[in-house]
Amino acid sequence: MKDMANIKVAKFGGSSLADAVQFKKVKDIVMADKNRRIVVVSAPGKRFSDDNKITDLLYLCHAHLLYGVNCESVLGMIEQRYRDIAQALSLDVDLESEFAAIRATLKKNMRVDDLVSRGEYLNAKLMAAYLGYTFVDAKDWLFFGYDGKVDYEKTDEALCNALSLHRRLVLPGFYGASPNGNIRIMSRGGSDITGAIAAAAVGASVYENWTDVPGILMVDPRIVENPKAIERITFAELRELSYMGASVLHEETVFPVRNKDIPLNIKDTNDPAAPGTMIRESFEGESEEERSRFITGISGKKHYSIICVSKTHMCENGGIIRKALEITENYGVTVEHIPTGIDSFSLVVSTAQVEQCLYALLSDIQRVCEPDTVKVTDGVSLIAVVGRRMAYKPGISGRLFGTLGANEINIRMIEQGADEINIIVGVEDKNFKKAIQVLYNSFA
C-alpha cells in the first residue's frame, strides 16, 4: 500500500524502558523520524544491576499465587514502577483502574500468560500516551493457530487494518491471542519476535531493534574487553554465531523479516547516532573495515564430548554412521558435528546430554556398529570463527591454526561448513577463553 511506504518498526527492549529517563530517550528517537510509525515495547527492565525486571516480578507473583503465598509486596513493587514512570512524565493514564482489573483476576489457578503479559501491556499503555500514538493490544492483531504457530494471514490483515485507521501505533510485545481468545505469551525475548512479525506484516523498510548495546559485538565482552561492534552481518552469519553461543537476538526474530528481505538494524538507545549493526540477506561490496579484518565474529560453547568410532575399512562398510546416528537419536542426543576420516568418525555431542546415558549409548554403538575401538574425550569446547568473506581470502585457515599453535593451544577437532562461512575448532575447556582472546586479537 502506498500509505505504508517507508514505514519503520522500532522495538525497544526492557533496558530502554526501565524508567522515565529512558522513556524520554525513546521519545526523542521516535520523534526524530516520522517514518517510525509502529513502536513495539517490552516490559520495564532493570534500572541498575541489583534491580528487578518487571517480567521476573510477574513470574514471581504467579509462583506466590500458585503456592498460596501472599504476593502483595511483589505486586506493590510492580505497581509502583509504573506509577513512578507515569508521574515523572505527567501522563494521563488511569493506572489504578488497570491495577484493579489485574487484581480482580488474581487467583491460585490463574494462567501464567494472563498475568505475565501485563508487563508489556501496561508499558505500552504508558508509551502510547507519552508519544500520542494509538495503543493496540497484541491480542487484537497477533494471532496464533491451534498448533502454536503464528497465523500470518490473519495477523497481517489485522495489523494493516489498524495502521490504516490510526497511522501511528504502540504495540505491546511478548504475547498474542490463541484461537479461543486466550492470551498466549512467547518465550523470553518474545518482544523481539513481535517486532519482527509487525515489520513483516506491514512490509517495513527496516526493523529497528533498540537495546542497550552498540550493536552485535564481534565476541563476548565477558571474554574480551571492549570488543568491536559488527557494522554489517548477513542472516546466515548471525545464525552461525547465535547457534554457537553468541547472545544476540531471540532465534525466531530473524525469520519473519528474513523471509520478506527486510533489513534488521540493532541500535543503541543510549547512543542513537551510532550506526549499530545492520543485518541483511546479503550485501554488495565490502566496507573498508570488512576488507581489513576478513572475519565477522567469533563465538563458542563449552562442555562437549567427542565419541570417536574406529573400524578398519570403514569406508567399505556402508551405513555405519547412519547406524550410530540412529542410536543417538534413540537416546534423544543431538549430534552437533561429525568429523570423518577413512577408518573413523567422531560424534560431537553435548556432555550434559549424554551424561546419564553414556555407557548405554556406547554399549549400543559397540553392539550395532561392531567397531574396532570406541573412545570418548570429555572437556572439549567448540569455537566458531565466522565470516562470509573467508572463502575468498587465502590463508585464513593457516592463520587461525598458526595463531592457536603459537599460543600452545591444542586443537582437538576441525570442521568447516559447506557454505565456507565458518571454521569450527575444538579445544580443551581450560583453553576456551584464551583461544577466543588470541583469535580475536589476531583477526580483529
Side-chain angles (χ1 to χ4, degrees), residues 16 30 37 44 70 97 105 227 243 245 289 331 358 363 384 403 422 442:
S16 300
V30 173
R37 291 173 52 191
N70 189 294
S97 293
T105 67
Y243 185 77
E289 182 192 18
Y331 283 93
L358 179 61
S363 176
T403 296
N422 72 327
S442 175

Side-chain angles (χ1 to χ4, degrees), residues 230-388:
I230 301 169
E231 289 186 1
R232 306 195 306 177
I233 184 172
T234 64
F235 285 116
E237 291 173 302
L238 179 65
R239 171 76 170 153
E240 294 286 347
L241 289 173
S242 298
Y243 185 77
M244 286 302 297
S247 179
V248 183
L249 290 168
H250 193 292
E251 185 176 352
E252 295 179 24
T253 300
V254 302
F255 295 119
V257 289
R258 185 177 187 179
N259 289 339
K260 296 276 186 82
D261 195 25
I262 296 171
L264 197 169
N265 197 186
I266 309 296
K267 299 275 286 180
D268 186 355
T269 305
N270 301 311
D271 187 12
T277 299
M278 183 64 75
I279 310 167
R280 300 203 68 164
E281 187 65 30
S282 62
F283 295 95
E284 292 186 6
E286 295 178 328
S287 68
E288 183 177 343
E289 182 192 18
E290 288 169 340
R291 285 193 295 271
S292 68
R293 59 177 168 83
F294 306 130
I295 71 165
T296 301
I298 303 168
S299 63
K301 292 191 287 190
K302 299 175 69 174
H303 309 312
Y304 283 91
S305 297
I306 300 177
I307 302 172
C308 183
V309 180
S310 300
K311 185 179 180 68
T312 303
H313 304 303
M314 186 187 76
C315 58
E316 301 171 10
N317 186 353
I320 187 171
I321 296 179
R322 174 184 55 79
K323 292 175 183 178
L325 291 175
E326 288 176 347
I327 292 169
T328 59
E329 184 179 3
N330 290 338
Y331 283 93
V333 173
T334 301
V335 177
E336 304 279 348
H337 302 280
I338 314 175
T340 61
I342 296 175
D343 291 326
S344 67
F345 66 92
S346 295
L347 306 177
V348 182
V349 298
S350 164
T351 301
Q353 273 202 325
V354 298
E355 207 164 27
Q356 301 300 321
C357 64
L358 179 61
Y359 294 111
L361 188 150
L362 295 178
S363 176
D364 283 355
I365 290 177
Q366 190 76 50
R367 174 177 55 82
V368 175
C369 300
E370 299 181 333
D372 297 334
T373 60
V374 179
K375 296 180 180 179
V376 180
T377 302
D378 294 322
V380 175
S381 293
L382 300 183
I383 298 172
V385 179
V386 177
R388 62 187 179 277

